[in-house]
Amino acid sequence: MEVRGYGTAVPIKTTAQSEQQKELAAACSDFTAVFYQMVLQEMDKTIDRSSNTSAESTFFQEFFYDEISKELAKNPDNQLANMLYQELTEKAKK
């Protein structure tokens, strides 16, 4: 499995004020994007592809899943990213 970089600046519902909080929020969004990519790839494995698929088709399918996972992670109502951010900020305060 190949994991590509997702960049940052993905919105999370947070009142992040410091640079460190903003970086954590971006990391949480990036993590969820990678998670969604893995879920989509595993779901794709369940599709019966009895015909031969070309390398180009495989490349574009992976690109499509990358883009979809980024878009899913960008959703400000992304509960997974929000829960992860809250959990990590609470652990950091202890």
Side-chain angles (χ1 to χ4, degrees), residues 10-16 25 29 75-79 81-82 85-86:
V10 179
I12 278 187
K13 279 188 176 178
T14 180
T15 57
S29 291
N75 183 351
D77 293 325
N78 183 345
Q79 294 298 313
N82 290 326
Y85 177 83
Q86 290 173 354

Side-chain angles (χ1 to χ4, degrees), residues 1-4 34 37-39 41-42 45:
M1 177 189 74
E2 181 180 338
V3 177
R4 295 182 178 92
V34 171
Q37 177 190 15
M38 292 173 63
V39 169
Q41 288 174 343
E42 290 302 312
K45 289 179 183 179

Side-chain angles (χ1 to χ4, degrees), residues 5-11 22-23 25-30 74:
Y6 286 91
T8 54
V10 179
K22 290 177 186 177
E23 289 175 7
C28 291
S29 291
D30 289 347
K74 283 182 186 178

Side-chain angles (χ1 to χ4, degrees), residues 24-73:
L24 178 60
C28 291
S29 291
D30 289 347
F31 176 82
T32 57
V34 171
F35 176 77
Y36 290 143
Q37 177 190 15
M38 292 173 63
V39 169
L40 290 170
Q41 288 174 343
E42 290 302 312
M43 288 172 56
D44 185 61
K45 289 179 183 179
T46 65
I47 297 172
D48 181 26
R49 297 202 195 315
S50 54
S51 64
N52 292 336
T53 56
S54 67
E56 294 84 7
S57 172
T58 302
F59 171 79
F60 284 110
Q61 190 69 36
E62 289 176 5
F63 179 76
F64 175 73
Y65 288 147
D66 289 345
E67 293 301 311
I68 291 294
S69 61
K70 289 180 206 176
E71 290 301 314
L72 287 170

